[in-house]
């Protein structure tokens, strides 16, 4: 895969702006479109920061910060410690996409606890993580195209 | 419908020229609801099945009495008769609310093993690992073949009144065929070729569950599907080449759609007929025996241990990962059972599967008596430790 030019602007992670920037790259990504439709409201949690993103068919929108008790309204949550997010995003930047050790799939299997869950233990919703995991990986791989500051 | 012969017309124009009778177009008002207009989804979703379920077309009956091809919402004609098929006529026997969405998702997320897998990265393995992955590929291909045949066979029995389910199952046939052909390609990639077929007890359980479609779903997608999920997940992370990991990674979402339908359908069936809980528990118990029997065939586990260990010389190491995989399988299976409202936690923990939970893999290398002795020894050790 040819390296894509990254934006010069440094965007703080985690923040609504960071997710909006990656979303705008991803909706135009042909690989993302090829992977097909998805329907999931996902919360990304890094310690106190919880950002909700609506993956709505082929659009990605309604990105906003939410409170802990609003996670129950999300289909699933992906939670990593701040250092783990940082290491994952550094790996993505370095390799122009996650290397094997840092894909969402690997992290979910290798850690003692899965990185994804549904807050109300709804297995049907939690399993959306696996139904859409190729698309979610494209989303995070596109973080290689921006300059992230932590 | 017989139309009148235009030669017998008695109508004429103003110059007295004979005019033909207009054809009988009375069929044109034969609709139960005129003016139903389905709207496409926003955000690129297009016109979906869910969007069609409006007005009378969204009324999904509990029972569909027609034993012919009458599409739901169409006007029946007596001459169509009954072809005597489609005997699964009740909603609780097949329905899942998620079926229309899963169909659209399956179609939208379609892919090809021919062009979406980087096959050229699947080379350069040592001979033992290549043979091992070919063995695993042969068994997975075999399972995919069984699945596609089982679903195909049931499709002709399911009533067309629940077309959303039939559409989704058509994608499931395709998805299962993709498992079959994808892993066949993998086996034949580097010369190892097709190896030993599966022991076959679980295949037969899937093929020969004649008691109902729901029971087939339990056997094939709750139980065997959980094992396939676990193997595919482990291959997607610990597969020996990028091609192996990508093939497994792309198959995973396809398996999860079938699991979603299965859990949703079983839950729905129980919500309609609570007495089915006992029936389904019995079905799963029988299926678990068949699955356990296959577990005692060492071939698959040895092949996986060689893959995970990186060769025959590291099989012991690989067996550790096989145990993890088996524990993951039980975790996925029990999760799905809970999701489907047929909890099996106690039965699994207290039956033969308990060995895996206690840390002893079931691989056919240890007899049942030896395994019991090992578990007893472990329990004794735990008791001693807690007494100290």
């Amino acid at each position: 895969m040819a390296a894509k030019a990254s934006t010069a602007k440094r965007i703080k992670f985690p923040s609504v702006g960071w997710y909006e920037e990656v979303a705008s790259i991803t909706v135009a990504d042909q690989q993302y479109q090829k992977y097909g439709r998805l329907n999931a409201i996902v919360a990304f949690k890094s310690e106190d920061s919880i950002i909700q993103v609506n993956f709505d068919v082929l659009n990605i929108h309604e990105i906003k910060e939410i409170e802990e008790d609003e996670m129950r309204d999300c289909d699933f949550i992906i939670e990593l410690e701040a250092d783990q997010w940082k290491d994952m995003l550094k790996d993505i930047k370095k390799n122009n996409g996650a290397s094997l050790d840092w894909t969402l799939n690997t992290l979910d299997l290798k850690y003692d606890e899965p990185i994804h869950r549904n807050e109300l233990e709804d297995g049907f919703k939690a399993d959306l993580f696996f139904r859409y995991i190729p698309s979610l990986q494209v989303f995070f791989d596109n973080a290689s195209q921006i300059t992230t500051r932590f | 419908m017989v139309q009148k012969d235009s030669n017998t017309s008695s109508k004429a124009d103003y110059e007295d020229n004979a005019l033909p009778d207009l054809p009988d177009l009375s069929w044109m008002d034969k609709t139960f609801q005129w003016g139903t207009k389905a709207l496409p989804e926003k955000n690129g979703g297009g016109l979906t099945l869910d969007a069609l379920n409006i007005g009378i077309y969204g009324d999904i009956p509990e029972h569909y009495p027609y034993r012919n091809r009458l599409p739901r919402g169409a006007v029946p004609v007596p001459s169509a008769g009954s072809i005597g098929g489609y005997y699964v006529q009740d909603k609780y026997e097949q329905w899942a609310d998620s079926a229309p969405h899963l169909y659209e998702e399956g179609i939208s997320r379609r892919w090809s093993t021919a062009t979406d897998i980087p096959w050229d990265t699947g080379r350069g393995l040592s001979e033992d690992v290549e043979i091992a992955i070919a063995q695993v590929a042969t068994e997975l291909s075999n399972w995919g073949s069984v699945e596609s045949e089982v679903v195909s066979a049931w499709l002709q029995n399911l009533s067309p009144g629940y077309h959303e389910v039939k559409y989704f199952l058509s994608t499931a046939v395709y998805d299962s065929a993709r498992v079959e052909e994808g892993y066949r390609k993998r086996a034949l990639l580097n010369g190892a070729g097709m190896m030993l077929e599966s022991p076959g007890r679980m295949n037969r359980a899937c093929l020969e569950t004649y008691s109902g479609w729901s029971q087939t779903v339990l056997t094939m997608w709750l139980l065997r599907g959980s094992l396939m999920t676990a193997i595919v997940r482990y291959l997607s992370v610990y597969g020996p080449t990028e091609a192996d990991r990508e093939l497994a990674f792309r198959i995973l979402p396809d398996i999860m759609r079938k699991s979603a339908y299965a859990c949703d359908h079983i839950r729905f069936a129980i919500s309609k007929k609570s007495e089915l809980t006992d029936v389904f528990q019995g079905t799963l118990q029988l299926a678990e025996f068949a699955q356990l029997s296959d577990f005692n065939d060492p071939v698959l586990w040895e092949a996986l241990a060689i893959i995970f260990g990186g060769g025959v010389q590291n099989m012991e190491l690989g067996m550790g990962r096989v145990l993890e995989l088996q524990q993951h399988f039980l975790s996925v299976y029990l999760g799905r059972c809970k999701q489907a409202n047929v909890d099996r936690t106690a039965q699994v923990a207290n039956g033969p599967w308990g060995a895996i939970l206690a840390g002893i893999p079931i691989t056919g290398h240890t007899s049942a008596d030896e395994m019991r002795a090992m578990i007893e020894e472990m329990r004794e050790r735990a008791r001693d430790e807690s007494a100290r």
Side-chain angles (χ1 to χ4, degrees):
Chain A
M1 188 192 297
K4 295 170 187 170
S6 64
T7 56
K9 196 169 64 173
R10 290 162 62 84
I11 308 172
K12 186 181 181 312
F13 179 90
S15 67
V16 168
W18 188 91
Y19 280 95
E20 283 175 341
E21 190 68 22
V22 176
S24 73
I25 296 167
T26 303
V27 291
D29 187 318
Q30 286 189 349
Q31 186 63 44
Y32 184 77
Q33 291 168 5
K34 190 179 173 217
Y35 278 150
R37 65 175 296 148
L38 61 165
N39 294 83
I41 294 173
V42 187
F44 298 98
K45 189 171 187 311
S46 172
E47 294 174 2
D48 291 341
S49 160
I50 310 167
I51 313 258
Q52 180 187 294
V53 179
N54 186 355
F55 293 87
D56 187 1
V57 191
L58 293 174
N59 194 9
I60 306 171
H61 61 141
E62 295 169 354
I63 299 171
K64 59 183 181 182
E65 266 190 270
I66 59 169
E67 297 297 320
E68 192 106 13
D69 62 1
E70 292 175 276
M71 293 199 301
R72 63 171 57 200
D73 300 325
C74 297
D75 291 308
F76 60 89
I77 298 141
I78 294 179
E79 181 173 6
L80 290 170
E81 289 170 14
D83 282 347
Q84 292 168 332
W85 280 114
K86 194 173 170 180
D87 290 344
M88 183 185 92
L89 292 172
K90 279 184 172 176
D91 178 80
I92 286 169
K93 184 73 180 172
K94 185 178 161 197
N95 299 301
N96 197 31
S99 63
L100 178 60
D101 284 342
W102 288 101
T103 64
L104 297 171
N105 186 38
T106 301
L107 297 176
D108 192 73
L109 190 66
K110 277 191 172 172
Y111 287 155
D112 291 339
E113 293 293 323
I115 64 170
H116 81 284
R117 67 176 189 278
N118 172 274
E119 197 67 349
L120 303 177
E121 297 186 17
D122 180 330
F124 188 91
K125 289 183 174 177
D127 280 350
L128 293 173
F129 172 78
F130 294 115
R131 274 165 49 194
Y132 303 144
I133 196 169
S135 307
L136 295 169
Q137 191 60 57
V138 170
F139 179 84
F140 279 103
D141 284 352
N142 278 328
S144 65
Q145 296 181 55
I146 65 172
T147 306
T148 302
R149 72 183 164 84
F150 299 95
Chain B
M1 190 177 298
V2 179
Q3 295 181 2
K4 287 178 186 172
D5 183 348
S6 58
N7 293 332
T8 62
S9 171
S10 56
K11 292 181 181 172
D13 65 10
Y14 66 97
E15 289 178 327
D16 217 23
N17 298 313
L19 282 175
D21 279 343
L22 285 171
D24 175 8
L25 296 176
S26 59
W27 59 267
M28 290 190 79
D29 65 3
K30 293 289 185 288
T31 174
F32 288 124
Q33 190 173 52
W34 173 250
T36 310
K37 292 177 185 173
L39 292 174
E41 268 186 23
K42 291 175 182 168
N43 297 318
L47 188 56
T48 62
L49 284 183
D50 270 329
L52 304 186
N53 284 345
I54 48 174
I56 62 146
Y57 301 101
D59 177 22
I60 298 152
E62 296 298 323
H63 177 78
Y64 201 73
Y66 306 99
R67 295 191 68 176
N68 58 26
R69 280 293 324 167
L70 178 70
R72 193 177 77 224
V75 179
V77 294
S79 60
S82 164
I83 65 163
Y86 312 115
Y87 69 85
V88 183
Q89 294 174 278
D90 286 323
K91 189 179 180 184
Y92 79 88
E93 295 175 294
Q94 55 207 296
W95 185 253
D97 283 342
S98 57
H101 184 85
L102 290 168
Y103 167 75
E104 297 291 357
E105 195 175 299
I107 292 291
S108 176
R109 297 184 77 85
R110 67 195 180 278
W111 58 285
S112 158
T113 64
T115 51
D116 290 325
I117 302 300
W119 291 111
D120 55 343
T121 65
R123 306 193 192 277
L125 293 174
S126 60
E127 195 176 89
D128 50 357
V129 177
E130 182 62 33
I131 290 170
I133 191 73
Q135 176 58 44
V136 173
T138 304
E139 296 209 35
L140 291 176
S141 178
N142 189 200
W143 298 1
S145 152
V146 168
E147 263 193 26
S148 61
E149 283 180 20
V150 168
V151 181
S152 304
W154 273 101
L155 271 173
Q156 64 181 333
N157 299 327
L158 305 182
S159 169
Y162 309 101
H163 56 257
E164 296 90 339
V165 172
K166 290 172 85 93
Y167 295 164
F168 166 67
L169 293 178
S170 305
T171 68
V173 171
Y174 225 116
D175 288 344
S176 301
R178 198 189 286 116
V179 172
E180 181 186 4
E181 55 93 350
Y183 278 107
R184 188 174 184 85
K185 285 172 183 169
R186 178 59 189 95
L188 293 166
L189 186 64
N190 295 319
M194 297 296 277
M195 307 280 295
L196 283 175
E197 68 171 329
S198 295
R201 291 169 199 93
M202 199 56 191
N203 285 346
R204 286 192 65 172
C206 295
L207 283 158
E208 296 173 4
T209 305
Y210 299 119
S211 47
W213 168 242
S214 305
Q215 286 85 337
T216 303
V217 164
L218 287 163
T219 304
M220 189 168 65
W221 286 337
L222 248 77
L223 181 55
R224 162 91 88 137
S226 298
L227 179 58
M228 200 189 259
T229 302
I231 293 175
V232 162
R233 274 216 80 193
Y234 271 67
L235 287 176
S236 73
V237 173
Y238 302 113
T241 68
E242 189 189 335
D244 292 304
R245 292 189 292 271
E246 187 65 16
L247 179 60
F249 183 64
R250 295 302 304 272
I251 283 172
L252 183 61
D254 298 348
I255 297 175
M256 298 310 289
R257 280 194 298 278
K258 292 181 269 195
S259 156
Y261 165 78
C263 294
D264 203 12
H265 163 58
I266 297 299
R267 201 176 178 84
F268 177 78
I270 292 172
S271 77
K272 291 289 174 184
K273 288 189 180 287
S274 59
E275 64 271 27
L276 285 173
T277 307
D278 290 341
V279 176
F280 291 166
Q281 286 280 355
T283 302
L284 284 173
Q285 190 168 359
L286 284 175
E288 285 166 18
F289 283 135
Q291 187 67 81
L292 194 64
S293 175
D294 277 4
F295 260 58
N296 277 304
D297 180 82
V299 175
L300 178 64
W301 310 119
E302 287 171 358
L304 285 166
I306 292 168
I307 293 166
F308 297 151
V312 172
Q313 74 282 5
N314 290 325
M315 264 181 81
E316 274 303 307
L317 196 68
M319 270 301 173
R321 186 133 290 153
V322 166
L323 171 63
E324 267 178 43
L325 184 156
Q326 292 189 348
Q327 288 175 333
H328 185 67
F329 150 63
L330 286 182
S331 162
V332 171
Y333 174 54
L334 293 177
R336 282 184 191 171
C337 287
K338 263 192 194 162
Q339 203 176 314
N341 215 2
V342 275
D343 191 10
R344 297 284 299 160
T345 309
Q347 294 90 334
V348 164
N350 299 320
W353 298 108
I356 293 173
L357 299 174
I360 302 167
I362 301 177
T363 57
H365 294 99
T366 316
S367 72
D369 284 342
E370 286 169 328
M371 222 175 273
R372 276 188 211 104
M374 286 162 81
I375 292 171
E376 194 46 48
E377 198 181 309
M378 286 169 83
R379 282 184 183 147
E380 219 162 277
R381 242 194 339 258
R383 275 196 295 270
D384 288 351
E385 273 168 25
S386 67
R388 256 188 249 134

